[in-house]
Amino acid sequence: MRATFLEHIKGQEDNQGRAPAQAQIVHAGQACVVKEDNISERVYTIREGDTLVLQCLVTGHPRPQVRWTKTAGSASDKFQETSVFNETLRIERIARTQGGRYYCKAENGVGVPAIKSIRVDVQYLDEPVLTVHQTVSDVRGSFYQEKTVFLRCTVNSNPPARFIWKRGSSTLSHSQDDGVDIYEPLYTQGETKVLKLKNLRPQDYASYTCQVSVRNVCGIPDKAITFSLTNTTAPPALKLSVNETLVVNPGENVTVHCFLTGGDPQPQVLWSHGPGPLPLGSRAQGGTLTIPSVQAQDSGYYNCTAINNVGNPAKKTVNLLVRSMRNATFQITPDVIKESESIQLGQDLKLSCHVDAVPQEKVSYQWYKNGKLARVSDRLLVTRNDPELPAVTSSLELIDLRFSDYGTYLCVASFQGAPVPDLSVEVNISSETVPPTISVPKGRSVVMVREGSSVELQCEVRGKPRPPVLWSRVDKEAGLLPSGATMEETPDGKLRVERVSREMSGTYRCQTARYNGFNVRSREAQVQLNVQFPPVVEPTSQDVRQALGRPVLLRCTLLRGSPLRIASAVWRFNGHLLPTPPAPPNEAPDHAELRLDPLTRDSSGSYECTISNDVGAASCLFQVSAKAYSPEFYYDTPNPTRSHKLSKNYSYVLQWTQKEPDAVDPVLSYRLDVRQLSLRTSVTKPIPVRRVEKGQLLEYILTDLKVPHSYEVRLTPITTFGAGDMAARIIRYMEPTNSPNLSDNTCHFEDEKICGYTQDRADNFDWTRQNALTQNPKRSPNTGPPTDISGTPEGYYMFIETSRPRELGDRARLVSPLYNISAKLYCVSFFYHMYGKHIGSLNLLVRSRNKGALETHAWSLSGNRGNSWQQAHVPINPSGPFQIIFEGVRGSGYLGDIAIDDVSLKKGECPRKQVDPNKVVVMPSSGAPSLPGPLLSGPLTVFLLAMLR
């Protein structure tokens, strides 16, 4: 039957309207166990690779926002950068590194935020690794040697693994064999166990197994590794086919053999390269490494490693050097002793030449003057490895410089006898060879450019020769140039920047390099870069609410921009240009204003203020309205669901507050729209209200909602302006779990929580919850109900399945929550279905907890009662806090399914026609039929229901 609504609304005081956030963490997913650790901390244990699901259950009004964060689980407990803004945190295939403490923070602006945490412990067990080591020592006074073998078993696990050592199939321990010692080395934190075989004996040559276990926590199985110890067991040994340093020419094919010279069991040979992986195109097969057409970038260390888990791995390294030369530079150093910075006759002069080469020490240098080989003399010296210059640098020194020393000097670097091209650099020495100067061209010391365009910063260098110019930042902490480097070389003194951003504004330094020129103090200059960018304003978007007839002031503020001034401010209303309002009185305003006095329906709408600073423009957007704000639903109503006896309907207590009711005109009423989620049509109803105060909790009861369906509720406030902002929420049916009270609460078993009922652990089997859609199509015929009491396929009920492996006399017991006694007499009402030729018994028991638990039989029925639902009313008189128990007993065969539905418990006497256990009152199975068609309400509903009954 579709929903009808009882008109019922009330207001409560402000102290119930707003409540601070509270939070609780619950788990779902694939947890192994959730326990309390040292009382104060909850621990969630999960297996690596499973799915972690944590849910933060929040209360508070307005509805709190939830944020998940995590600490690394270390002593520093630093929060990770990532956060999850959702009530549910889900991590698929969780890894061990994702363990740690997870925090749920809930806040709604009322009071302090609520923070709860749970520690996630990720469980895992890796494959164990077994290594063998041996020692040989002389025994004094004897002629024999004592050999001791250590079998070391290591595993990564959480929790710490338990180790079991076996020789063959026999478990080893200290007490069994004097020649065996099992211990944990220091500082291994439970991840290693060593089996020590002292003074090795013939029987010690055997197969040894290390079995590791985390005691099946999280269902993680044990793992094991086996090693066969023989009299030939030995660590690996290697020999290389080449020298440890191998120098080759580019383009050659390189082959290196790594030979095994020992090891039992057979070692595994692996090649690696540092840094980085093996070169592209190389092949490592067994102990042979082949690199075709080797290039300069292939230089590096190549490691051949042999492993057989006996002793230490054997390792041989080849340092491969591929001949190469690049980056030839020169330096002119005036007389250092006389601290001169220029070339002067009669003083000493040094010319230096350097190339970056591999191998660096094999480079040969030759000097030429005016095309002829320079000859060493008392006044011309050629030196190598000057301590003041980079390694392997050649220097030509001219003592007591004379006019005849002027000329062109050529430095040639080469690898003798290798097919690598020579590199050369030329230096001209004359009276015109002068040190550099640097300056900024006129008008270029301050450069202004718009964001997004290209710019060129320029410094001019004079002198001969002209050295490169090095650029860097002056006023930035990071000191990074637009390219991302700290310093950048330009041969012509020009620094080019594409797509300039505002962060690039600042002072840039240009300076002369001390190479490819004079080796003297660098000359410097500076350039200021100013990047112009459009304004940044606030608010970019604002929702402005005001009552009709009151004034509204709109303000758009300039926060940032270059230039930081307002060139123009233009206002538009709903896209139409407005007259320019008068400017503020100050000379350099940082904002623009528009005043609406008063606010009317016609002046409500969208206002846009566009501010320009001649570089660009930005806009503030205002939505001005007298619309009421949306209601804020109250989600923490205690027991909002009320189920109805004898029908599959329920009611729901809907509560809300009005957000900022004084901001606009008073709320006159609410428009309520209710739609069953499975249907498209909705029902609309007005709810008149008196003046609504801020924080006032409003309430409306929705009735005759159909079990177990969910509904969408939309609530819209109405003022003199019209409809305000709508709020929507979903109402879901939940079975009541509270203790009995004056209102009739009927358990229809529509919710998986089954009203707080639990299965008794001391019985033989369980009750099952099902409906016509979920029941087994191969179930036994001629027993059990086709549907629940309502006759709908969606309705659930509880039943006992008596097919195999059930046996005669097996019992299934369904236990209610514990009820506190508040009356002398109660009545238990329920429907039962007992159909089948093998029906056993259905018993109702009362478990009182006055002085210990005591169970008494209150009602019992046996045998076939026909294919219909029938109702029983059973009076009970408990002596203290109590529970009711439905006990189904299996009969002589499989055609004995028993079902119950619509259980209610109320105070007072049962109906006058009491139910005798041997004389049951039979009621129609379908109850009141459903009403099709449109929604019914008011007197017509009462009349129709009376006719149907």
Side-chain angles (χ1 to χ4, degrees):
M1 184 172 68
R2 294 188 180 181
T4 61
F5 309 103
L6 297 179
E7 296 186 24
H8 176 73
I9 186 165
K10 64 179 181 179
Q12 300 183 18
E13 296 302 321
D14 178 71
N15 60 356
Q16 295 188 27
R18 297 178 69 83
Q22 297 186 25
Q24 177 187 2
I25 297 177
V26 298
H27 70 90
Q30 298 170 287
C32 304
V33 64
V34 177
K35 63 180 180 180
E36 302 295 327
D37 183 19
N38 297 330
I39 302 175
S40 61
E41 184 180 35
R42 298 183 66 221
V43 181
Y44 179 112
T45 303
I46 187 171
R47 179 173 176 171
E48 186 175 44
D50 286 350
T51 299
L52 169 73
V53 180
L54 296 177
Q55 187 175 9
C56 190
L57 301 181
V58 295
T59 61
H61 188 72
R63 187 70 165 174
Q65 297 293 316
V66 175
R67 178 189 179 194
W68 283 97
T69 51
K70 174 187 175 292
T71 58
S74 62
S76 61
D77 275 353
K78 293 182 179 179
F79 278 95
Q80 291 186 342
E81 294 295 329
T82 56
S83 298
V84 177
F85 293 88
N86 198 345
E87 292 187 9
T88 300
L89 174 68
R90 184 181 182 90
I91 301 177
E92 304 280 354
R93 295 183 295 278
I94 191 169
R96 63 191 65 178
T97 56
Q98 293 174 302
R101 186 175 290 107
Y102 286 80
Y103 288 84
C104 158
K105 181 179 181 181
E107 55 185 335
N108 63 353
V110 182
V112 298
I115 301 177
K116 294 292 182 181
S117 70
I118 187 170
R119 184 160 60 87
V120 175
D121 195 15
V122 182
Q123 310 282 276
Y124 57 90
L125 177 64
D126 290 345
E127 294 292 337
V129 175
L130 196 157
T131 57
V132 180
H133 304 268
Q134 66 179 7
T135 61
V136 178
S137 61
D138 293 329
V139 178
R140 294 182 179 181
S142 302
F143 295 98
Y144 69 91
Q145 290 181 325
E146 185 179 88
K147 181 183 291 187
T148 300
V149 173
F150 300 86
L151 283 79
R152 183 186 184 99
C153 186
T154 302
V155 69
N156 294 320
S157 69
N158 183 36
R162 180 180 62 183
F163 292 80
I164 299 175
W165 281 101
K166 294 181 180 180
R167 178 191 286 143
S169 59
S170 301
T171 302
L172 295 174
S173 65
H174 290 286
S175 58
Q176 291 179 340
D177 192 335
D178 292 337
V180 171
D181 189 11
I182 299 175
Y183 65 93
E184 178 182 330
L186 294 174
Y187 312 115
T188 58
Q189 299 179 348
E191 70 216 10
T192 301
K193 272 287 193 303
V194 173
L195 173 64
K196 180 180 179 181
L197 303 176
K198 299 177 289 185
N199 191 15
L200 202 64
R201 304 159 300 180
Q203 62 264 35
D204 292 330
Y205 293 117
S207 291
Y208 292 87
T209 298
C210 172
Q211 181 177 329
V212 291
S213 171
V214 289
R215 293 161 289 282
N216 204 37
V217 63
C218 292
I220 299 176
D222 295 353
K223 296 183 179 180
I225 185 170
T226 299
F227 183 87
S228 294
L229 182 66
T230 69
N231 58 1
T232 61
T233 298
L238 290 174
K239 183 178 71 173
L240 286 175
S241 63
V242 297
N243 295 327
E244 293 183 353
T245 300
L246 179 61
V247 180
V248 297
N249 295 317
E252 292 181 355
N253 296 326
V254 175
T255 300
V256 181
H257 298 286
C258 190
F259 300 107
L260 280 171
T261 59
D264 183 24
Q266 178 74 17
Q268 180 185 13
V269 179
L270 299 173
W271 279 97
S272 61
H273 177 230
L278 292 172
L280 190 65
S282 63
R283 295 188 306 275
Q285 191 170 10
T288 301
L289 173 67
T290 302
I291 307 175
S293 186
V294 70
Q295 300 300 318
Q297 61 268 24
D298 297 333
S299 294
Y301 290 93
Y302 291 80
N303 305 307
C304 172
T305 306
I307 302 173
N308 68 347
N309 290 339
V310 177
N312 295 320
K315 184 177 179 179
K316 293 292 183 179
T317 300
V318 176
N319 183 14
L320 178 64
L321 301 177
V322 182
R323 293 186 179 94
S324 64
M325 286 191 299
R326 62 184 182 85
N327 195 26
T329 58
F330 70 89
Q331 288 178 310
I332 303 172
T333 306
D335 198 320
V336 176
I337 297 177
K338 296 182 180 180
E339 298 181 353
S340 177
E341 290 195 347
S342 62
I343 297 176
Q344 297 183 26
L345 296 175
Q347 294 184 359
D348 295 346
L349 182 67
K350 183 194 296 183
L351 307 180
S352 303
C353 172
H354 177 81
V355 295
D356 296 329
V358 176
Q360 187 75 54
E361 65 278 3
K362 297 298 183 180
V363 176
S364 297
Y365 294 94
Q366 281 190 316
W367 285 93
Y368 296 84
K369 177 185 177 183
N370 297 327
K372 296 181 180 180
L373 186 65
R375 295 184 178 181
V376 177
S377 65
D378 295 339
R379 293 184 48 256
L380 192 152
L381 305 177
V382 176
T383 60
R384 187 181 174 96
N385 295 330
D386 190 321
E388 298 180 358
L389 297 174
V392 194
T393 297
S394 178
S395 297
L396 184 149
E397 295 187 50
L398 298 172
I399 309 300
D400 188 16
L401 184 68
R402 300 176 184 176
F403 182 81
S404 59
D405 295 326
Y406 287 167
T408 300
Y409 292 82
L410 179 67
C411 173
V412 178
S414 63
F415 281 122
Q416 295 294 331
V420 177
D422 296 345
L423 286 184
S424 63
V425 62
E426 191 176 81
V427 186
N428 187 269
I429 302 297
S430 69
S431 59
E432 296 179 355
T433 305
V434 294
T437 61
I438 193 168
S439 62
V440 179
K442 185 177 181 180
R444 299 287 296 174
S445 59
V446 177
V447 178
M448 192 162 299
V449 64
R450 291 195 175 189
E451 189 173 41
S453 59
S454 301
V455 68
E456 186 176 85
L457 308 183
Q458 183 176 356
C459 285
E460 290 183 345
V461 179
R462 291 182 176 86
K464 186 177 181 180
R466 287 192 300 178
V469 175
L470 304 178
W471 286 89
S472 59
R473 297 289 293 267
V474 175
D475 55 353
K476 295 294 182 180
E477 291 183 4
L480 295 180
L481 292 165
S483 62
T486 57
M487 185 170 288
E488 188 171 330
E489 176 186 319
T490 60
D492 56 358
K494 296 178 181 179
L495 179 66
R496 297 171 179 83
V497 182
E498 304 292 336
R499 296 184 295 278
V500 178
S501 66
R502 63 195 68 180
E503 292 79 14
M504 297 177 187
S505 295
T507 305
Y508 290 73
R509 177 192 297 113
C510 58
Q511 64 187 59
T512 57
R514 299 180 66 175
Y515 55 87
N516 288 350
F518 275 76
N519 181 22
V520 296
R521 176 182 53 85
S522 297
R523 276 55 170 170
E524 296 183 0
Q526 292 184 352
V527 178
Q528 178 68 34
L529 175 62
N530 294 331
V531 180
Q532 294 183 325
F533 58 92
V536 178
V537 297
E538 73 168 4
T540 55
S541 179
Q542 185 177 5
D543 186 9
V544 180
R545 305 292 176 102
Q546 184 61 279
L548 294 173
R550 297 182 185 176
V552 175
L553 180 65
L554 306 179
R555 172 177 288 188
C556 185
T557 302
L558 174 64
L559 293 180
R560 293 182 299 277
S562 180
L564 188 61
R565 62 180 178 83
I566 298 178
S568 64
V570 177
W571 287 89
R572 289 181 173 83
F573 172 58
N574 292 338
H576 300 289
L577 191 65
L578 293 177
T580 303
N586 50 328
E587 295 181 358
D590 63 351
H591 63 272
E593 293 182 348
L594 179 66
R595 185 177 181 86
L596 308 177
D597 194 3
L599 177 64
T600 64
R601 282 189 175 84
D602 294 337
S603 60
S604 298
S606 176
Y607 288 83
E608 182 182 14
C609 176
T610 303
I611 286 181
S612 170
N613 66 348
D614 289 336
V615 176
S619 296
C620 299
L621 186 62
F622 304 90
Q623 293 293 337
V624 181
S625 169
K627 286 200 313 180
Y629 285 103
S630 63
E632 295 178 319
F633 284 112
Y634 189 68
Y635 287 84
D636 304 325
T637 306
N639 299 319
T641 305
R642 298 287 188 271
S643 61
H644 295 171
K645 189 176 178 181
L646 302 180
S647 69
K648 283 290 186 177
N649 294 337
Y650 70 97
S651 61
Y652 196 92
V653 180
L654 187 69
Q655 293 182 314
W656 72 93
T657 60
Q658 178 60 40
K659 181 181 178 181
E660 302 296 340
D662 299 329
V664 296
D665 298 299
V667 176
L668 304 176
S669 63
Y670 288 90
R671 185 178 70 233
L672 179 68
D673 298 285
V674 181
R675 179 182 66 86
Q676 185 178 312
L677 290 184
S678 59
L679 303 176
R680 293 185 177 181
T681 58
S682 62
V683 176
T684 302
K685 184 174 182 63
I687 305 175
V689 294
R690 297 179 181 178
R691 180 171 179 82
V692 178
E693 303 292 340
K694 183 176 181 178
Q696 183 181 7
L697 192 61
L698 306 176
E699 181 177 295
Y700 188 85
I701 299 180
L702 307 174
T703 64
D704 293 338
L705 306 175
K706 189 174 181 181
V707 175
H709 292 287
S710 299
Y711 293 81
E712 180 190 51
V713 176
R714 297 189 176 192
L715 196 61
T716 307
I718 308 296
T719 64
T720 55
F721 178 80
D725 292 339
M726 178 270 296
R729 67 168 294 188
I730 302 298
I731 291 174
R732 304 188 186 278
Y733 175 72
M734 295 181 62
E735 295 279 15
T737 58
N738 58 318
S739 59
N741 50 47
L742 294 178
S743 63
D744 282 341
N745 276 330
T746 301
C747 182
H748 303 289
F749 301 111
E750 301 298 339
D751 190 277
E752 291 182 357
K753 297 179 181 178
I754 57 174
C755 312
Y757 279 77
T758 57
Q759 308 282 354
D760 194 337
R761 296 183 180 180
D763 57 9
N764 305 109
F765 65 110
D766 290 340
W767 288 79
T768 302
R769 173 178 170 268
Q770 75 170 23
N771 61 13
L773 302 177
T774 61
Q775 60 184 246
N776 188 348
K778 297 181 180 180
R779 68 190 183 97
S780 304
N782 301 320
T783 187
T787 65
D788 73 338
I789 183 64
S790 70
T792 61
E794 298 87 3
Y796 281 87
Y797 56 89
M798 302 296 293
F799 88 109
I800 61 170
E801 171 61 65
T802 58
S803 301
R804 291 182 180 179
R806 304 278 68 85
E807 297 179 354
L808 176 65
D810 281 357
R811 298 173 183 269
R813 291 160 58 97
L814 190 66
V815 184
S816 76
L818 181 65
Y819 300 121
N820 292 320
I821 188 167
S822 58
K824 292 183 178 181
L825 191 64
Y826 291 90
C827 182
V828 182
S829 300
F830 60 94
F831 284 87
Y832 61 88
H833 191 283
M834 301 173 66
Y835 170 56
K837 66 179 182 180
H838 300 143
I839 291 291
S841 301
L842 176 64
N843 303 319
L844 177 68
L845 299 91
V846 178
R847 177 187 292 169
S848 298
R849 295 184 178 273
N850 191 6
K851 295 181 179 179
L854 177 65
E855 294 182 4
T856 58
H857 276 75
W859 180 91
S860 182
L861 194 65
S862 302
N864 186 358
R865 298 292 164 169
N867 190 14
S868 63
W869 284 99
Q870 305 177 46
Q871 190 177 30
H873 303 284
V874 182
I876 61 174
N877 184 17
S879 58
F882 67 97
Q883 295 169 286
I884 60 174
I885 302 173
F886 287 95
E887 182 181 67
V889 183
R890 203 254 194 188
S892 59
Y894 64 91
L895 298 178
D897 296 351
I898 299 175
I900 60 172
D901 199 4
D902 287 14
V903 179
S904 66
L905 176 66
K906 69 174 185 177
K907 300 176 184 178
E909 296 182 352
C910 288
R912 292 181 181 179
K913 292 184 180 181
Q914 295 293 335
V915 176
D916 189 282
N918 300 313
K919 186 178 180 181
V920 180
V921 176
V922 179
M923 299 188 66
S925 62
S926 59
S930 300
L931 297 176
L935 193 86
L936 300 176
S937 62
L940 178 60
T941 306
V942 177
F943 173 75
L944 287 175
L945 288 175
M947 294 293 292
L948 289 168
R949 292 190 175 100

